[in-house]
Amino acid sequence: MRKSVVASLLVLGLAAAGAGMAEQAAVSGEHGMVVSVQYLASQVGADVLKKGGNAVDAAIAVGYALAVVHPAAGNVGGGGFMTIRFADGRTKFLDFRERAPQLATPTLFQDKDGNVIPGLSEVGYLAAGIPGTVAGFELAREKYGTFPRAALVNPAIELAEKGFPLKEGGDLDFIKEVLKDLAKDPEAARIFLTDGKNVPKAGTIIKQPDLAKTLKIIAAQGNEGFYKGPIADAIVAASDAHHGILKKADFERYVPHEREPVTCTYRGYTVVTAAPPSSGGTTICELLNIVEGYDLGKLGFHTAASIHVLAEAMRHAFYDRNSSMGDPDFVQNPIAHMTDKTYAKEIRAGIAEDKATPSASLGSVAGAAREGQHTTDYVVVDKDGTAVSVVYTLNDWFGSKVVATGTGIVLNNEMDDFSAKPGVPDAVGLVTGENNQILPNKAPLSSMSPTILVRPDGKTAVVVGSFGSGTIITSVAQVLINLVDYHMGVQEAVDQPRIHQQWLPDVIAYDKGAFSEQVARQLEAMGYKLSEGTIAGASETIVVGGDKVSAKSDGKIYGANDRRSPVGAAVGW
Ligand code: GLY
């Protein structure tokens, strides 16, 4: 197990901005910290903190900057969630998830025989939900920010006008992944491809003058300009021209929500996390409640016994998630039940010591959603101790792969997070129920889990998020477990290989090197099927008061950019 090295930087510090960096160190700051998957965006956030902005101000500025320098997932054409914990202990959860347009129906992506039409919910204007990011950032800024809007959007405008270099390990890789679809949309192709058809060379500077113009409208007019003015008009016109169903009234109707975060305790710490329409927080709490009954430290890191416990907890939590959760404006979510410690104890009683539980034995679920793996997350702590975790997304890389003419805005394909048809397992096998069927103005179920861990003494300990669909849930939980149960330093905790079990398919997916051959054979003897791959999801993480979670504070803030994000950076101040 490799050791994390803690580099103390008294002034603005930058770590791990280089592509493919295998060994990187946590960064420490005296006054603040920003960690995101793109080094330029992290720097924008740190600059806002340095100028006296609070963590909410910095989070908004990072969000707009990522829309420019990480266009595959950063966005103004998507949506997401923000968890805030103020220095005085108050917590807030902002829901700016996309909503289905008014003309959407449960059978939108089915043919006349009721078969799901491949790709229809993934590419093009029909795949897009009404974006929530601008409204969410405006809600956050008006209620909790201190800087004027323009000061938070201007750094993004500058980046869009001056351009940024495409790098391996960052958006260059994501362009390669979706080249065929990007090439089909003339606007997307013009902005992101060389000669409108080829993958750009590494180091190519991408300028986005149309997006700069759009950001100037947002800077000047906020929600008015986006939802009621020229930006909505341009998106609706493009949608009308390409068989979409997005209407001006859908934009005018869009409102973000301020909700109570889901909370639970884990070994004396308080977990403050995402509420529905994210399933993430509730599922993380159920998972942690189950594993809390075992001494993971004693079982050892990634032994057969500890992986068995983790996998069973994931299996049970995901079954409950998939069978019962949805948009809280449409569905009664069983949050109290799923986060109940007595319920966790009942589940533990049914877990055999040395035998895998067949997933099918838990039940079945009608309905499916092919959840996109391609989201982004970032975390901020300011000098007063206010902490912000944001996870926002276009769903897949470059969302629906379309850019409305003249706007520079990449639209999400979040409609794909709904169940396209009851009873059909999805492309990655993640199965959700009718609770998640498409209805007008409904939000699709999400896994995004911006999470904050609070010490028993009431001080913020950990600020964490992740990307990667359902693996967001298991990644955030494993980072917390690595910090709390295995006492790892923050860099080591995020860089560790992970496992993932999501009820169906009935396998444990695992990062290469997650455990030894001997452990693999032991798990197989217990009845597990194993699948080596790459567990998606950089978990950008901050630990406050020490490189490790501990009762004593050294007064510093430590940020770790996950090795899975080679162009990310922790920037401390
Ligand atoms: N689109 C990924 C998520 O919301 O979880």
Side-chain angles (χ1 to χ4, degrees):
M1 210 176 285
R2 101 189 149 68
K3 277 209 170 120
S4 83
V5 187
V6 177
S8 290
L9 301 175
L10 297 176
V11 289
L12 270 177
L14 180 68
M21 198 176 272
E23 291 281 329
Q24 55 181 308
V27 170
S28 77
E30 303 279 322
H31 311 292
M33 181 64 61
V34 181
V35 194
S36 85
V37 304
Q38 218 287 352
Y39 63 101
L40 293 166
S42 298
Q43 189 66 59
V44 163
D47 289 345
V48 169
L49 292 180
K50 225 181 151 189
K51 286 179 191 156
N54 67 15
V56 174
D57 293 320
I60 295 165
V62 173
Y64 281 119
L66 282 171
V68 177
V69 297
H70 181 29
N75 68 81
V76 290
F81 304 109
M82 178 184 290
T83 303
I84 310 171
R85 186 169 194 269
F86 297 97
D88 64 7
R90 282 175 302 131
T91 57
K92 301 288 168 193
F93 178 72
L94 306 188
D95 160 14
F96 49 99
R97 181 79 160 156
E98 301 92 326
R99 261 66 188 171
Q102 202 60 31
L103 292 179
T105 63
T107 56
L108 184 64
F109 300 118
Q110 298 172 22
D111 65 17
K112 62 177 173 24
D113 300 320
N115 300 311
V116 175
I117 303 168
L120 198 59
S121 62
E122 294 170 37
V123 177
Y125 286 86
L126 214 48
I130 303 301
T133 295
V134 172
F137 287 173
E138 276 298 276
L139 175 65
R141 190 188 62 78
E142 282 168 0
K143 289 196 81 169
Y144 307 115
T146 62
F147 272 24
R149 189 192 305 121
L152 305 179
V153 188
N154 283 346
I157 295 170
E158 198 177 318
L159 285 164
E161 284 177 338
K162 284 195 177 151
F164 76 101
L166 280 176
K167 292 192 179 206
E168 306 274 1
D171 283 59
L172 184 56
D173 292 6
F174 314 140
I175 287 174
K176 278 183 203 158
E177 253 184 62
V178 299
L179 173 67
K180 246 171 66 192
D181 285 327
L182 278 182
K184 284 183 198 152
D185 182 73
E187 280 290 286
R190 183 172 63 79
I191 298 167
F192 299 115
L193 304 181
T194 299
D195 300 328
K197 55 181 192 295
N198 299 318
V199 174
K201 287 200 175 72
T204 300
I205 303 292
I206 295 281
K207 292 186 182 174
Q208 299 172 78
D210 287 347
L211 184 57
K213 266 190 253 160
T214 290
L215 289 167
K216 282 179 188 167
I217 295 172
I218 293 171
Q221 302 173 35
N223 285 334
E224 278 294 312
F226 192 90
Y227 293 93
K228 299 189 174 143
I231 300 173
D233 288 339
I235 296 173
V236 170
S239 168
D240 284 348
H242 295 92
H243 315 291
I245 56 171
L246 307 175
K247 299 294 169 207
K248 188 75 179 288
D250 293 316
F251 282 82
E252 288 167 345
R253 186 184 302 116
Y254 186 88
V255 279
H257 297 271
E258 182 160 346
R259 305 186 187 277
E260 282 305 308
V262 164
T263 59
C264 57
T265 60
Y266 183 63
R267 303 196 197 282
Y269 293 87
T270 301
V271 182
V272 181
T273 183
S278 175
S279 64
T282 312
T283 311
I284 286 170
C285 283
E286 178 173 341
L287 191 168
L288 290 175
N289 279 343
I290 297 169
V291 301
E292 196 178 39
Y294 304 90
D295 187 343
L296 283 182
K298 217 165 172 183
L299 293 180
F301 182 73
H302 283 194
T303 59
S306 66
I307 286 173
H308 173 49
V309 163
L310 274 177
E312 290 297 325
M314 290 173 184
R315 186 199 314 279
H316 282 84
F318 265 89
Y319 172 69
D320 286 338
R321 170 211 188 266
N322 297 0
S323 57
S324 61
M325 298 197 73
D327 182 345
D329 294 340
F330 292 76
V331 172
Q332 190 74 32
N333 286 289
I335 299 173
H337 174 64
M338 285 177 66
T339 60
D340 180 9
K341 297 223 186 255
T342 311
Y343 177 53
K345 195 173 168 191
E346 283 164 23
I347 290 172
R348 280 196 299 273
I351 297 173
E353 202 180 312
D354 54 0
K355 216 163 152 242
T357 308
S359 284
S361 70
L362 300 190
S364 64
V365 168
R370 191 207 65 89
E371 291 191 27
Q373 300 271 6
H374 313 115
T375 292
T376 191
D377 57 293
Y378 57 95
V379 286
V380 184
V381 171
D382 68 22
K383 64 178 175 7
D384 297 322
T386 293
V388 177
S389 176
V390 176
V391 187
Y392 78 147
T393 188
L394 293 167
N395 194 28
D396 284 319
W397 293 140
F398 291 93
S400 58
K401 295 18 166 222
V402 293
V403 174
T405 310
T407 65
I409 297 176
V410 181
L411 281 175
N412 69 84
N413 65 340
E414 216 66 60
M415 293 296 286
D416 190 56
D417 268 359
F418 282 114
S419 303
K421 186 186 175 187
V424 180
D426 72 15
V428 293
L430 199 52
V431 182
T432 57
E434 281 177 4
N435 46 290
N436 192 30
Q437 73 173 353
I438 304 170
L439 288 172
N441 207 27
K442 189 176 177 185
L445 188 63
S446 172
S447 296
M448 294 189 284
S449 312
T451 298
I452 296 170
L453 189 76
V454 183
R455 289 174 215 280
D457 68 4
K459 297 261 176 3
T460 293
V462 181
V463 193
V464 58
S466 191
F467 69 76
S469 176
T471 67
I472 294 173
I473 293 170
T474 52
S475 294
V476 167
Q478 284 171 92
V479 170
L480 293 178
I481 287 167
N482 290 348
L483 288 165
V484 170
D485 293 85
Y486 296 113
H487 311 291
M488 292 180 193
V490 59
Q491 191 67 57
E492 186 179 14
V494 301
D495 283 349
Q496 284 300 328
R498 298 183 195 133
I499 68 152
H500 177 71
Q501 213 296 333
Q502 58 177 34
W503 175 54
L504 291 176
D506 191 349
V507 296
I508 296 178
Y510 65 96
D511 279 326
K512 190 173 164 53
F515 41 76
S516 66
E517 272 300 308
Q518 190 195 0
V519 167
R521 300 295 83 80
Q522 287 170 322
L523 288 167
E524 281 165 352
M526 292 163 95
Y528 284 105
K529 287 192 197 73
L530 305 175
S531 168
E532 184 185 293
T534 302
I535 308 288
S539 291
E540 306 299 61
T541 303
I542 293 173
V543 171
V544 183
D547 175 46
K548 295 182 175 182
V549 169
S550 81
K552 273 197 231 138
S553 169
D554 68 1
K556 291 186 192 166
I557 307 161
Y558 294 78
N561 169 53
D562 194 317
R563 68 180 164 88
R564 296 164 182 83
S565 266
V567 300
V571 181
W573 169 46

